Amino acid sequence: AGKFAERIAVSWADAAKYFPLSKVAPTGNPVRADIRQRKTDGGKEFMKVEENIPTVLVLGGSQGAEAINEVVVEALPELVKDYSVIHQTGKRNITSSKTTADVILSKSPNKDRYKPVDYLNGLELRMAAGAADIVVSRAGSTIFEIADTRQAADGSFVHTYGAIAIDADGGLIYSFYVTPFADMVEHY
C-alpha cells in the first residue's frame, strides 16, 4: 500500500524506514483529549487503593483481553501480597473475573487489594493511571493513551523484564512472572 499512497502516517518514527521518506508523515498516536493528563493527586484515594502499597493497573482494552485477564487472575494470590491491582476486565469479562477472584482470594487477608472494573471512563482512567506505579496493557490504543499521560512510550519495557508478552494474534508467548514483575516496579 505504501507504494501507491500519496502520504503515509506513522505512529512511531522508527516505522518511517519501511516507506519512502518523502511520503512519510509522523503523526504519533491518537489520544482522547479527556485523558491527556493523568491525575496524580488523589488517584489512590479515588480508586480506593492503599497509599503505601505499589499499585498495578491492568488494562485489557474496553472489550477486555481474555488472555491478560486469565493470567492476572491466576497470579492474584501472589500479586495481592505486595500490590494493589486495578484490573479493567472489559464488560463481557467482569463477572467471570470477579467470581474467579472471589474464590481464589477467599482466604487471602489482602483480597481487598484487587479492584476489578469492567470499564474505566476518561476521569477514572486518568485517576487509575495516576495511582499506578506500573501499567500492564494490551497493545491497543489504551497503552498509547497511558504512555501519553506518563510522558513515555516504551513498549519494550514490559518485554525486557519478562512480565507478560502477547503476540499479535493474541497468543500468550510467556506468562506472568511475579519476581521480574517486582523488579519492574522497583526500577520504574
Side-chain angles (χ1 to χ4, degrees):
K3 186 176 184 180
F4 303 104
E6 291 180 30
R7 296 291 286 166
I8 303 164
V10 294
S11 297
W12 302 103
D14 288 352
K17 66 185 174 193
Y18 298 105
F19 304 103
L21 293 180
S22 62
K23 294 183 175 186
V24 172
T27 58
N29 289 289
V31 176
R32 293 178 284 172
D34 63 336
I35 63 166
R36 281 196 77 76
Q37 294 182 335
R38 69 181 165 144
K39 295 286 233 179
T40 53
D41 294 334
K44 289 197 179 220
E45 181 181 359
F46 183 86
M47 297 307 299
K48 296 178 176 57
V49 295
E50 297 173 51
E51 288 287 336
N52 58 340
I53 301 293
T55 300
V56 180
L57 172 59
V58 181
L59 302 168
S62 61
Q63 299 300 311
E66 288 179 20
I68 291 175
N69 290 344
E70 289 171 10
V71 170
V72 169
V73 170
E74 184 179 313
L76 280 176
E78 290 299 314
L79 284 173
V80 298
K81 287 179 183 176
D82 298 310
Y83 308 102
S84 291
V85 179
I86 303 166
H87 181 193
Q88 179 182 283
T89 64
K91 291 182 190 262
R92 70 173 182 240
N93 299 313
I94 187 68
T95 302
S96 64
S97 293
K98 277 184 177 180
T99 303
T100 305
D102 285 346
V103 171
I104 289 173
L105 297 175
S106 65
K107 295 183 179 167
S108 171
N110 300 314
K111 62 184 169 194
D112 291 338
R113 289 183 179 169
Y114 180 57
K115 310 292 183 188
V117 296
D118 59 350
Y119 176 77
L120 295 166
N121 66 30
L123 173 63
E124 292 165 337
L125 186 57
R126 288 172 55 207
M127 295 301 256
D133 294 286
I134 194 89
V135 177
V136 177
S137 178
R138 61 182 284 274
S141 61
T142 302
I143 197 158
F144 298 116
E145 293 171 333
I146 292 295
D148 188 69
T149 69
R150 298 181 79 82
Q151 302 302 309
D154 185 1
S156 66
F157 182 77
V158 170
H159 183 270
T160 300
Y161 282 94
I164 187 170
I166 307 288
D167 70 17
D169 296 323
L172 193 60
I173 297 171
Y174 48 88
S175 191
F176 195 91
Y177 299 103
V178 175
T179 302
F181 185 78
D183 290 343
M184 273 191 340
V185 173
E186 184 177 314
H187 292 99
Y188 181 69

